[in-house]
Amino acid sequence: MESSGNQNPIMQDYAKQIDDYLHRLFPITRSITGGGNRETLRILQEVVPLEIKEYPSGQHVYDWVIPKEWNIKDAWIKNSKGEKIVDFKKNNLHLVSYSVPVHKKLMFSELKKHLHYREELPEAIPYRTTYYEETWGFCVSYNDLSASFNEKEEYEVYIDSSLANGSLSIGELLIQGKSSKEYLISTYICHPSMANDNLSGVVMTAFLAKELLKKKLNFSYRIIFVPETIGAIAYCANNEKAMKKIDCGFVATTVGGPGQLGYKQSFDKDHFIDRIIEQTFEENNKDYITYPFDIHGSDERQYSSPGFRINMATICKDRYYEYDYYHTSLDDLNFVKGATINYSLMLYLETISKLDKNITYKTQYPCEAMLSKYGLYPKAGGSLLPGDPKINNLETILWFLFYCDGKTDMFKISEKLNTDIECLYSISHKLEEKGVVVGI
Ligand code: ZN
């Protein structure tokens, strides 16, 4: 287990608070719509002032329609002795999400068409959904299937769910920086009781927002909590103008597992967001897996579509698809710890700290500025030779001004000068205050 980021003063240690929120939020039944999502967002409002927005069922969002709202009170299967052998109240993964209401008796041969299990992971209850097909189902561990069901028996199934016109809920927080240019941070709230995918991403994003709210930021941040796919599409459709202006951001997901640190590249792997993430990992001496962009994955699929082309990257720890417990009941709070999420949060914040300094500057004067006027040039002219370590600062200023053409961003300049964007920023900030350069 890594330390929780105490080596870096960039943030306070939230491990304990994160653990508390994980425990409160874990049992809630979330889906693409429904009361569980609202309850989750309301709890997150204790951490940051999220605005909860509702998009109505039936609203057309590009090629999709926002579905009816799904809510669930209870679900179970009883055997012929009247014993509950599957109980939604014990684990919400037992019910296929979006199952229609049912109450009937049926033989095992009929019931088994509605049962899902994973033979190769016999103790795990799998996670299944049926958002766009009106059917029902239950998920059980293979061990329970073998122990509790038999071919000749009749079973009673009961699902007390409702599908009605309602709305799809999202959470939104806009953090205003000096520039109205925005970065996007998106996470998804549609998964029921599973910790790494994706309660870890949800809780980390809330604390990330909390930290960003404390800072004086150069850029603005659009932070959204949406159900995956339909929520991201609905958000894009309802905020098209703002979203079209965004160049890059993060999909925050699977940040709390015990396994390997990694990042999924954005569709343009040479984009500065990818390079800055790599730099952050390297500065922390971390081994990491690079997952190239592909069309599978999370909501980067929507944000990177031709209509938006936002370069979305993901820093993750035990990324979705990659760990054995993925989309099962074993992805629980034994698997995910607050300290691990706190560590991922530190990496996100360090990366964002660099992104926030990636300003593109333009010099105010067609030729070199008179640096001595601002106390930035040695008083005795000709006394220093290029390459002297004493004049490193002056050299950096001169090179920085040389590249300040209104096109080359700070990250690119820092790479050319083989320096860190944070160091360069202390110079650019001074020059901006003196009116020598202006951020564009
Ligand atoms: Zn998932």
Side-chain angles (χ1 to χ4, degrees), residues 351-362:
T351 306
I352 290 171
S353 171
K354 292 173 195 287
L355 282 178
D356 197 62
K357 296 177 177 70
N358 195 24
I359 301 164
T360 303
Y361 284 105
K362 194 173 180 338

Side-chain angles (χ1 to χ4, degrees), residues 163-436:
L163 279 159
N165 281 332
S167 57
L168 176 152
S169 317
I170 66 112
E172 180 191 65
L173 178 67
L174 304 176
I175 304 179
Q176 207 59 51
K178 213 165 124 192
S179 161
S180 60
K181 196 175 155 193
E182 292 178 353
Y183 289 117
L184 175 66
I185 301 168
S186 175
T187 191
Y188 51 93
I189 53 164
C190 48
H191 286 37
S193 297
M194 285 170 292
N196 197 33
D197 183 23
N198 180 42
L199 191 54
S200 68
V202 171
V203 176
M204 190 206 69
T205 302
F207 282 89
L208 181 61
K210 185 181 170 77
E211 276 293 306
L212 291 180
L213 278 169
K214 290 185 196 167
K215 297 182 192 301
K216 254 181 107 179
L217 296 161
N218 287 314
F219 293 102
S220 298
Y221 293 80
R222 182 173 290 262
I223 302 174
I224 58 174
F225 298 75
V226 294
E228 217 172 8
T229 309
I230 182 68
I233 292 169
Y235 189 84
C236 286
N238 282 280
N239 299 275
E240 191 180 271
K241 213 171 137 203
M243 293 291 279
K244 274 186 185 282
K245 288 189 198 152
I246 299 177
D247 171 59
C248 68
F250 300 97
V251 171
T253 166
T254 47
V255 291
Q260 187 75 32
L261 190 66
Y263 94 104
K264 182 179 175 182
Q265 294 177 321
S266 71
F267 65 84
D268 172 8
K269 66 178 174 31
D270 296 320
H271 192 277
F272 64 77
I273 195 167
D274 299 66
R275 309 287 295 278
I276 286 176
I277 292 170
E278 287 169 13
Q279 197 182 71
T280 304
F281 284 157
E282 277 149 26
E283 282 171 6
N284 284 282
N285 294 316
K286 287 290 153 199
D287 287 333
Y288 60 93
I289 304 173
T290 304
Y291 302 101
F293 179 81
D294 72 315
I295 44 117
H296 302 287
S298 184
D299 287 328
E300 64 277 13
R301 287 160 58 172
Q302 312 312 327
Y303 307 133
S304 304
S305 293
F308 293 95
R309 282 287 190 253
I310 306 174
N311 269 283
M312 297 298 281
T314 293
I315 297 173
C316 45
K317 205 158 175 308
D318 264 317
R319 198 193 71 150
Y320 53 83
Y321 303 153
E322 303 290 324
Y323 57 102
D324 292 342
Y325 298 170
Y326 168 70
H327 277 189
T328 74
S329 57
L330 300 180
D331 182 356
D332 61 12
L333 295 179
N334 295 313
F335 187 65
V336 165
K337 298 289 171 222
T340 315
I341 297 175
N342 192 70
Y343 181 75
S344 298
L345 170 60
M346 187 271 289
L347 291 173
Y348 268 93
L349 278 167
E350 280 194 25
T351 306
I352 290 171
S353 171
K354 292 173 195 287
L355 282 178
D356 197 62
K357 296 177 177 70
N358 195 24
I359 301 164
T360 303
Y361 284 105
K362 194 173 180 338
T363 55
Q364 288 288 66
Y365 307 105
C367 288
E368 198 175 293
M370 191 180 178
L371 294 177
S372 56
K373 230 166 60 181
Y374 311 110
L376 295 170
Y377 203 85
K379 289 201 172 87
S383 64
L384 296 168
L385 292 170
D388 187 326
K390 282 183 224 152
I391 60 159
N392 264 351
N393 196 44
L394 175 62
E395 280 221 18
T396 311
I397 292 173
L398 292 172
W399 276 114
F400 172 70
L401 288 173
F402 174 77
Y403 287 121
C404 263
D405 53 7
K407 292 178 209 135
T408 314
D409 63 37
M410 285 274 281
F411 184 68
K412 237 178 262 158
I413 299 176
S414 77
E415 282 194 317
K416 283 176 192 285
L417 302 187
N418 201 18
T419 182
D420 178 60
I421 193 167
E422 307 268 358
C423 297
L424 197 57
Y425 183 70
S426 64
I427 288 169
S428 68
H429 192 61
K430 213 179 283 170
L431 291 167
E432 191 180 14
E433 273 177 1
K434 311 269 187 200
V436 178

